[in-house]
Amino acid sequence: MGHLSDPGPDTGSFTIASVKDSSKDSDWKYSRAIALPESYSSPPTIGLGLNSIDCGAQPGDNIRIQADVSMINDKAFQVSVEKWNNSILNDATLVWTESAKGAKDTKIGSWSNKNRDQKQSGDITFDTPFEEPPTIVLWLKKLDLTGASNVTSWHVHTYATDITSKGFKVHIDTWGHNKIYSVNVTWIAIKKGKKNMHCGQFVEAGAVSKPQKEKEKRIEFPEGKFKNKPTVLSGLSMIDHPAKNPVKVASVVEVVSKEGFTWRMETGTRITLLLGRDWWYGTAAPAWQVTRRGSVRYAVWDWGK
C-alpha cells in the first residue's frame, strides 16, 4: 500500500501519482493524511469523489475502484483510493469539499445502490430543510461494474430529480448489457445564492453514440461573483467508455481567473461524448461548484445531470 502519513495541505485534491513509486508495480491502495485548516472546532463532514481515473479489468472481469475518506477529526483526515480482486489501477485523482458540523447552507451525504437493477433511485431527506430547493452536486465515489464478455462499453450515470427544500431523489443508471454490482455516490446540497460560491454543469442528453465535436469549453462566472481567483475542482458523475480499453478519463480545469475558467475532457482512448440541452454532458459529465471558505479559497467541480 502506498501511503503518506505526513499530513499534506487541504487543497481539495489528491492524486495517486503523488505517493506512487514509479519503479514498482501498481499497488491495491494509495492514501494520504490531510491537515485541516485551524478554523474547525470539531470534525467536519467531507464529501469525496473521483475526478480522474485510469483503471481497467481482466477480460470478463469487473472494473472496481473506490475513493474513501476516514480518520476524520478536528485537525486532519485521510483520503484513499483502492481497487480489489483482479481490477487494474494505474492512476486516479480524488476531490473533496468540507462542511462544518451543523452547517445550514451546505449538507453532505452519500448513497449506494440496493440491487443490480439497471435503473435505481433513493429518497434523500435533509436533517433540516433549506429555505428553498438547493443545488445538488453528485460525484461518483465507488464503481463495481459488470465485466461480462458481451459488454462493449462501461456505462454509469448518477443524477438528481424531484429537488425540494426538504430533500431529493438520487438516481444511479446503467444501460445495454451492463449490471451495477456496487456504486456509491457523494451528494452535496448547497444553498442557492450562497456567497462566494457558484455552481454549474456540462450536461448532454440524447444523441447517444454520436461524437461530440467539442471537448473543451470556457466558463464565465457571473459578473462580480469573485473578487479573487478561486480554486475549481471537478468530479465525475457519468462514464460511458469502451470496455475493450482501460477506462482513462480526466476532467481538467485550467486558465482559472476571477472571471471564469476553461474546462477540458482528456482521455487516453477514443471515447464518445454526447450532445444536448444547453450545457455539455458526455462520457464523463461534469458539473462544477466554486466556493471560498474564510481565507481558504476553493471550488468544487461536480459532474451531474
Side-chain angles (χ1 to χ4, degrees), residues 10 35-46 72-77 96-101 103 108 293 296 298:
D10 187 6
L36 282 165
E38 295 180 359
S39 56
Y40 289 109
S41 58
S42 60
T45 302
I46 298 174
I72 306 171
N73 56 48
D74 59 347
K75 293 182 174 58
F77 61 95
W96 64 83
T97 188
E98 303 146 17
S99 177
K101 185 177 181 180
I108 297 173
R293 174 174 52 75
V296 179
Y298 65 98

Side-chain angles (χ1 to χ4, degrees), residues 232-253:
V232 181
L233 307 176
S234 63
L236 297 164
S237 68
M238 176 180 174
I239 297 173
D240 182 3
H241 196 290
K244 63 182 180 180
N245 299 308
V247 177
K248 192 172 184 179
V249 179
S251 170
V252 179
V253 173

Side-chain angles (χ1 to χ4, degrees), residues 119-257:
K119 293 183 180 295
Q120 302 183 48
S121 63
D123 293 321
I124 304 297
T125 302
F126 305 133
D127 52 2
T128 56
F130 288 86
E131 294 180 355
E132 61 179 315
T135 298
I136 303 298
V137 169
L138 292 170
W139 287 339
L140 291 168
K141 181 180 176 184
K142 176 185 179 182
L143 299 173
D144 186 351
L145 305 177
T146 183
S149 58
N150 60 346
V151 171
T152 58
S153 294
W154 279 303
H155 314 295
V156 64
H157 184 200
T158 182
Y159 55 95
T161 62
D162 304 328
I163 304 170
T164 71
S165 61
K166 296 181 179 180
F168 66 97
K169 187 179 291 293
V170 59
H171 299 258
I172 298 176
D173 292 356
T174 189
W175 54 98
H177 296 287
N178 277 242
K179 290 183 180 179
I180 297 174
Y181 282 75
S182 182
V183 173
N184 181 270
V185 300
T186 290
W187 59 263
I188 307 168
I190 307 155
K191 177 183 177 180
K192 286 188 176 179
K194 183 177 178 181
K195 187 177 180 181
N196 294 320
M197 178 180 288
H198 189 57
C199 302
Q201 61 184 349
F202 291 114
V203 176
E204 301 183 18
V208 175
S209 299
K210 294 183 179 180
Q212 178 181 311
K213 296 180 180 179
E214 189 174 358
K215 293 183 181 179
E216 180 176 306
K217 191 175 182 67
R218 180 67 185 174
I219 299 299
E220 301 295 335
F221 302 135
E223 185 175 357
K225 184 67 177 181
F226 298 101
K227 295 182 179 179
N228 301 294
K229 183 179 82 170
T231 302
V232 181
L233 307 176
S234 63
L236 297 164
S237 68
M238 176 180 174
I239 297 173
D240 182 3
H241 196 290
K244 63 182 180 180
N245 299 308
V247 177
K248 192 172 184 179
V249 179
S251 170
V252 179
V253 173
E254 55 191 6
V255 196
V256 181
S257 70

Side-chain angles (χ1 to χ4, degrees), residues 75-93:
K75 293 182 174 58
F77 61 95
Q78 181 173 294
V79 294
S80 63
V81 59
E82 65 182 279
K83 63 94 172 182
W84 57 101
N85 289 356
N86 295 319
S87 294
I88 302 167
L89 176 58
N90 298 316
D91 201 2
T93 301

